[in-house]
């Protein structure tokens, strides 16, 4: 019976890694109430619970996609541990933490996972900020290529370059500017 449950959990995790909607919904259905109770019973609101659950799912998704994650507990235990850590951190940042804490006691060590998640989150925000500060036409050109998936010929025509090679050269110069902006503010935390 225990192996069957673990096998089901591993299948859900593999589904999550593939962006399978049913797996995500099943994980949500099985775990959301637990996380909501954790947050609401410890100075949080339903909105806080939704945010914390979403962030916890992102951490689980990143772990599932890593290919190196081995599930040594139930998904419920892992999500609860991540949510608790994230919620404690948020309470401390907002000076709302109290010694009174209602806890179910089920936990696994997730500190490293949270740190990796926070580092990626900071890098994403820094990249977003760098793109916003890039200026035109570089910002639009890179968005056209990377987000809208336009070809170099389409970019050349819409941005007024004589051919796709000139557009490609401009894209390279824009990437170098973006890289310079990003790394001028980037500091990686050492593990």
């Amino acid at each position: 019976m225990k192996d069957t449950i673990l096998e089901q959990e591993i299948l859900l995790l593999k589904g999550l890694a593939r962006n399978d909607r049913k797996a995500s919904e099943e994980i949500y259905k099985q775990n959301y109430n637990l996380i909501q109770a954790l947050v609401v019973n410890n100075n949080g609101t339903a909105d806080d619970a939704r945010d914390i659950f979403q962030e916890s799912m992102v951490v689980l998704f990143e772990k599932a996609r890593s290919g190196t994650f081995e599930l040594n507990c139930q998904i419920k235990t892992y999500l609860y541990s991540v949510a608790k850590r994230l919620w404690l951190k948020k309470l401390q940042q907002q000076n709302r933490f109290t010694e009174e804490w209602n806890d179910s006691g089920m936990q696994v060590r997730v500190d490293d996972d949270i740190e990796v998640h926070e580092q990626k989150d900071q890098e994403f925000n820094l990249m977003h900020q760098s793109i916003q500060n890039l200026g035109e036409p570089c910002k639009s050109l890179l968005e056209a290529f990377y987000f809208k998936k336009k070809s170099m010929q389409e970019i050349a025509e819409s941005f007024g370059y004589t051919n796709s090679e000139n557009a490609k050269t401009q894209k390279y110069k824009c990437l170098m500017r973006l890289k310079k902006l990003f790394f001028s503010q980037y500091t990686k935390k050492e593990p």
Side-chain angles (χ1 to χ4, degrees):
M1 180 75 176
K2 191 174 182 180
D3 286 342
T4 307
I5 292 171
L6 189 57
E7 287 170 10
Q8 290 171 352
E9 300 265 301
I10 290 171
L11 285 176
L12 282 176
L13 206 57
K14 286 181 179 176
L16 181 67
R18 290 189 316 264
N19 276 333
D20 178 22
R21 189 176 169 183
K22 285 184 179 177
S24 300
E25 288 174 353
E26 187 63 29
I27 292 171
Y28 178 90
K29 195 167 64 177
Q30 290 179 6
N31 299 287
Y32 181 74
N33 289 339
L34 179 70
I35 304 304
Q36 184 179 31
L38 168 75
V39 173
V40 171
N41 291 335
N42 292 289
N43 297 325
T45 65
D47 285 343
D48 293 328
R50 274 191 289 276
D51 292 344
I52 292 295
F53 185 78
Q54 201 60 30
E55 270 193 74
S56 301
M57 283 293 288
V58 169
V59 172
L60 181 64
F61 175 74
E62 288 172 349
K63 293 299 285 186
R65 299 255 335 197
S66 74
T68 59
F69 182 56
E70 287 184 33
L71 188 63
N72 296 319
C73 61
Q74 289 184 309
I75 289 174
K76 170 173 62 174
T77 305
Y78 184 82
L79 278 176
Y80 185 87
S81 301
V82 170
K84 180 181 176 182
R85 187 82 171 92
L86 289 171
W87 184 234
L88 279 171
K89 202 167 200 168
K90 192 169 185 175
L91 285 174
Q92 288 169 341
Q93 287 170 347
Q94 297 173 348
N95 292 324
R96 292 172 44 201
F97 178 72
T98 62
E99 293 297 324
E100 204 173 298
W101 182 262
N102 295 318
D103 198 347
S104 76
M106 61 176 185
Q107 290 181 61
V108 292
R109 184 169 164 72
V110 293
D111 292 349
D112 294 342
D113 299 343
I114 301 295
E115 282 184 31
V116 168
H117 170 69
E118 288 175 344
Q119 178 71 28
K120 284 183 180 176
D121 206 33
Q122 287 175 354
E123 289 170 359
F124 177 80
N125 288 336
L126 182 57
M127 180 56 76
H128 179 73
Q129 184 182 0
S130 298
I131 289 172
Q132 295 306 313
N133 293 334
L134 193 56
E136 295 295 340
C138 282
K139 180 183 165 207
S140 296
L141 193 153
L142 293 178
E143 286 175 349
F145 184 77
Y146 289 106
F147 301 127
K148 296 176 183 170
K149 306 290 183 196
K150 290 187 174 182
S151 71
M152 293 314 296
Q153 186 59 42
E154 290 172 315
I155 291 172
E157 290 168 11
S158 62
F159 285 81
Y161 298 113
T162 52
N163 58 44
S164 62
E165 284 303 312
N166 285 342
K168 193 174 180 180
T169 301
Q170 187 59 39
K171 183 188 88 159
Y172 175 78
K173 288 178 182 177
C174 291
L175 272 177
M176 292 301 105
R177 283 185 57 198
L178 179 62
K179 185 177 173 184
K180 190 176 177 182
L181 277 171
F182 178 81
F183 283 106
S184 70
Q185 299 174 39
Y186 179 76
T187 50
K188 184 172 179 118
K189 290 181 184 173
E190 294 299 321

